[in-house]
Amino acid sequence: METSKDIKVMVAGPEHEVYVDTILETIAEAAKVRGTGIAKRTHEYVAKKMQEAKAVIALRESDGRFAGFSYIETWGNKQYVTTSGLIVHPDFRGLGLAKRIKDLTFTLARTRWPHAKIFSLTSGAAVMAMNTQLGYKPVTFAELTDDESFWKGCEGCINVDVLHRTGRKYCICTGMLFDPTEQLPAKLTPQTIARIKQLEEIEEHSSQN
């Protein structure tokens, strides 16, 4: 019998790219079962999130089997952050794993961009409940980022016609927003924080050249 203690939840790195196709297949299958739409992501997109320390992955420690995933992305000049793609493999559901992934994803976003507003688009009641516990509030789409790159990601969803018909005012998903008012304590490992710092230094160096 699977237990939560058998699963390790961590910030993903380049070495986890081998799981990307499994992640994408698991997300697609879950969307089919729910009968809801989902923004489609490519292998390259998810792999890049892992390389940039913008993803969280859950693996069974005994054999490295994939158990869950989520990722974050910044929009509007880093004024907004999304937490997206939360998925738990069917074989590992009922262990409270989604909340562990959500908590670490949220902490990762708050640690890297403490002043950014964090938002989520979801049609799942469980995710809405977890968001509420973390301090998110339901909002209109007008309160979310106006970054066209973000909304372009919705084009792969089966419900995108609803978004177009309403002038991007609302859709099947519910918009939820966390507006930061206090700093949460970091729960990231020293190795992860060091890697993030290194990535930021590389980014700063590149922008100066």
Side-chain angles (χ1 to χ4, degrees):
M1 181 179 177
E2 299 289 353
T3 68
S4 181
K5 292 181 180 179
D6 297 329
I7 312 299
K8 184 176 182 180
V9 178
M10 71 202 96
V11 175
E15 69 274 17
H16 296 117
E17 184 178 350
V18 293
Y19 294 98
V20 170
D21 290 339
T22 300
I23 290 167
L24 293 174
E25 289 168 9
T26 306
I27 291 173
E29 286 301 314
K32 286 181 184 177
V33 171
R34 292 198 310 267
T36 58
I38 193 163
K40 293 181 180 179
R41 302 301 184 194
T42 64
H43 179 107
E44 292 73 22
Y45 182 89
V46 175
K48 188 177 180 182
K49 295 295 149 270
M50 293 177 171
Q51 294 162 7
E52 296 174 338
K54 293 180 180 178
V56 169
I57 193 168
L59 304 173
R60 185 163 64 185
E61 292 203 75
S62 60
D63 57 6
R65 190 177 172 203
F66 170 70
F69 178 78
S70 186
Y71 67 89
I72 60 177
E73 184 57 282
T74 58
W75 309 97
N77 198 27
K78 300 181 181 178
Q79 292 181 321
Y80 290 86
V81 182
T82 49
T83 58
S84 306
L86 177 60
I87 188 69
V88 173
H89 192 280
D91 293 347
F92 298 95
R93 289 175 187 163
L95 303 176
L97 191 53
K99 188 176 188 308
R100 289 176 61 195
I101 295 172
K102 184 73 176 180
D103 285 351
L104 185 55
T105 306
F106 184 75
T107 299
L108 179 60
R110 292 285 288 124
T111 302
R112 297 195 66 174
W113 304 285
H115 304 295
K117 294 180 179 180
I118 306 174
F119 72 96
S120 170
L121 287 181
T122 181
S123 58
V127 174
M128 289 182 200
M130 285 187 284
N131 284 348
T132 300
Q133 290 175 356
L134 289 169
Y136 288 71
K137 294 180 180 179
V139 295
T140 64
F141 284 13
E143 295 179 64
L144 306 180
T145 180
D146 58 3
D147 192 321
E148 292 298 329
S149 298
F150 168 76
W151 295 103
K152 196 173 292 183
C154 293
E155 294 298 317
C157 175
I158 60 173
N159 297 312
V160 70
D161 61 308
V162 179
L163 193 65
H164 291 323
R165 289 201 311 269
T166 63
R168 212 161 73 186
K169 292 180 180 177
Y170 58 86
C171 196
I172 301 299
C173 285
T174 296
M176 301 191 75
L177 182 73
F178 174 88
D179 197 344
T181 55
E182 61 181 35
Q183 180 80 23
L184 294 182
K187 300 175 185 176
L188 306 180
T189 65
Q191 293 89 344
T192 296
I193 292 175
R195 185 157 70 92
I196 289 171
K197 185 177 180 181
Q198 184 180 31
L199 287 165
E200 289 174 343
E201 289 174 351
I202 292 172
E203 182 180 347
E204 183 178 353
H205 179 73
S206 298
S207 65
Q208 291 175 350
N209 295 334

